[in-house]
Amino acid sequence: MQITTTRMKLELLHTFRIARSADDYRESVIVRLEYGEQSGLGEAAPMSRYGQTGPSAQEALKKLDTELLEPASHINDVLERASEALGKERAALAAIDIALHDILGKRLGVPLYSIFGLNPKHTPVTSFTIGIDEPDVIEEKVLEANDFPILKVKMGLENDHVIMERIRKVTDRPVRVDANEGWSKEEALEKIEWLASQNVEFVEQPLAADDPDACRWLAERSPLPLFADESVLGLSDIPGLRGAFHGINIKLTKCGGVREALRMIHTTRACGMMVMLGCTVESSIGITAAAHLSPLVDYADLDGNVLVSNDPAVGARTDQGKLVLPQGSGLGVTLRDGPVRDALTERQNR
Ligand code: MG
């Protein structure tokens, strides 16, 4: 068993500004696992909110004892061991999980969605994310997103009203709002009451994750459904969020991959909440892995690969916003010619 990793900068088409940060690029670690003749691709998209960086994710993967990953067919056991070894580096765990599922699909000769018995026609429409920006740039971004029938708009700073008004000047498409913990509770209620009149479908993480009582207070009064993102990392967080949120945003890189995401999807349903599959800025490797699970969910926000100019891979795509799954075995992802492909196949060519 061999792990090869390469760290890359995903260059953003526009500076990506949310309530707590602004970035021109995000680092990602692309991973290739090789078991004999079979190989699988995975991706760790580290999240600074949880103390992860590109170097920390890559270092964790390099340090991982590859014997823990044998045999590849016992994915459950392998991931239990890898999870323990990787600790808080959940993005690194997701990379291993995704690569193992890629290999499984290739061994069976079927796309990943088939392994879960899912119908690829039942994929949802993904939203397209508009980061916080100057009003003129917001208008420009909305026009660039013309192929996407649903927009996700980042808020959480003083200019929320201006942003929404400028969007409504150029489009009446439905909008989902993500405040990334940027509001206080009274401010949140006031803004959500106004947003409810602006064809907004729901609001993601209006309040700080460390104040569950305020989340409950708001959920009792909000005219729009509220989704948890920063408030939920993994499976065990979900039952405690009943009554504080109406839905859960599940991200592979946040929770540790396909296996954990599946458990979270079913647990969320059992708790009577809605399910959304989300992402961070990531390549088509991470996005495609999530897209294979998307027939199971109510909402998708899987556009991280569309926001970057140097996606190293080709996989799931969109048609008028609807996710289209690749037909190849496993993830069905291929690497484009370029530095990532060279770095991951170098050893083989030597
Ligand atoms: Mg979010």
Side-chain angles (χ1 to χ4, degrees):
M1 217 294 302
Q2 179 81 31
I3 305 183
T4 314
T5 66
T6 186
R7 202 165 84 225
M8 71 168 301
K9 283 182 179 177
L10 290 166
E11 305 284 351
L12 288 149
L13 290 162
H14 293 279
T15 298
F16 192 66
R17 187 181 303 275
I18 65 172
R20 64 172 166 267
S21 61
D23 300 299
D24 291 317
Y25 67 87
R26 290 276 188 89
E27 282 202 315
S28 205
V29 181
I30 310 297
V31 176
R32 181 182 155 102
L33 286 191
E34 286 174 69
Y35 287 87
E37 294 298 293
Q38 297 282 3
S39 71
L41 290 171
E43 177 173 13
M47 303 186 82
S48 57
R49 170 73 171 71
Y50 306 110
Q52 304 158 3
T53 62
S56 77
Q58 189 175 33
E59 197 54 31
L61 288 163
K62 281 185 174 171
K63 275 202 225 144
L64 194 61
D65 178 358
T66 53
E67 277 183 24
L68 297 181
L69 307 184
E70 304 277 2
S73 55
H74 296 176
I75 292 185
N76 208 58
D77 293 358
V78 167
L79 290 174
E80 293 285 347
R81 292 191 292 263
S83 175
E84 197 153 306
L86 291 166
K88 72 176 179 62
E89 295 289 340
R90 309 302 285 176
L93 179 65
I96 298 288
D97 168 290
I98 293 167
L100 288 170
H101 283 93
D102 191 20
I103 290 171
L104 174 64
K106 286 174 178 165
R107 281 188 172 165
L108 297 174
V110 295
L112 192 52
Y113 65 77
S114 289
I115 293 172
F116 303 120
L118 302 177
N119 182 345
K121 290 186 184 144
H122 292 170
T123 55
V125 167
T126 177
S127 50
F128 180 90
T129 304
I130 311 258
I132 296 171
D133 225 313
E134 294 303 319
D136 287 345
V137 184
I138 296 270
E139 268 189 43
E140 198 183 299
K141 287 179 177 176
V142 171
L143 296 173
E144 277 172 28
N146 258 344
D147 285 347
F148 292 85
I150 301 167
L151 302 175
K152 169 162 161 174
V153 176
K154 294 288 193 180
M155 289 192 178
L157 298 179
E158 322 66 58
N159 64 344
D160 293 337
H161 279 83
V162 180
I163 287 180
M164 198 65 213
E165 279 162 9
R166 288 299 276 263
I167 289 172
R168 283 290 166 251
K169 237 178 87 183
V170 284
T171 182
D172 57 3
R173 277 175 276 173
V175 163
R176 299 165 184 171
V177 165
D178 188 355
N180 287 108
E181 312 180 270
W183 294 333
S184 65
K185 85 182 183 181
E186 288 80 12
E187 177 189 13
L189 184 58
E190 190 191 313
K191 286 187 172 168
I192 293 170
E193 281 173 347
W194 176 69
L195 289 169
S197 69
Q198 300 293 313
N199 195 18
V200 169
E201 284 186 310
F202 57 76
V203 175
E204 199 177 310
Q205 199 69 41
L207 305 176
D210 62 6
D211 194 353
D213 291 340
C215 295
R216 265 169 218 290
W217 179 91
L218 187 63
E220 281 167 17
R221 293 162 177 81
S222 172
L224 292 175
L226 305 178
F227 274 69
D229 182 358
E230 286 85 345
S231 285
V232 59
L233 258 177
L235 187 67
S236 59
D237 297 317
I238 296 171
L241 295 177
R242 269 186 297 191
F245 291 94
H246 308 93
I248 302 286
N249 184 357
I250 297 167
K251 298 176 179 170
L252 268 54
T253 203
K254 184 172 67 166
C255 73
V258 169
R259 187 186 68 137
E260 182 74 356
L262 265 174
R263 295 162 71 192
M264 290 175 74
I265 289 169
H266 297 306
T267 303
T268 301
R269 292 250 183 258
C271 290
M273 290 187 275
M274 293 180 278
V275 187
M276 171 177 177
L277 260 177
C279 65
T280 181
V281 174
E282 49 196 287
S283 82
S284 281
I285 299 169
I287 294 296
T288 303
H292 278 283
L293 296 182
S294 70
L296 284 170
V297 308
D298 303 302
Y299 301 103
D301 176 37
L302 295 175
D303 64 343
N305 55 340
V306 187
L307 305 177
V308 303
S309 61
N310 60 336
D311 188 350
V314 180
R317 58 185 181 84
T318 55
D319 181 7
Q320 296 292 298
K322 184 175 166 67
L323 290 161
V324 180
L325 301 177
Q327 295 303 304
S329 302
L331 290 180
V333 163
T334 52
L335 290 173
R336 297 176 201 263
D337 286 339
V340 168
R341 189 189 161 110
D342 292 347
L344 293 181
T345 52
E346 211 173 46
R347 203 184 56 82
Q348 257 194 338
N349 298 339
R350 265 208 302 267

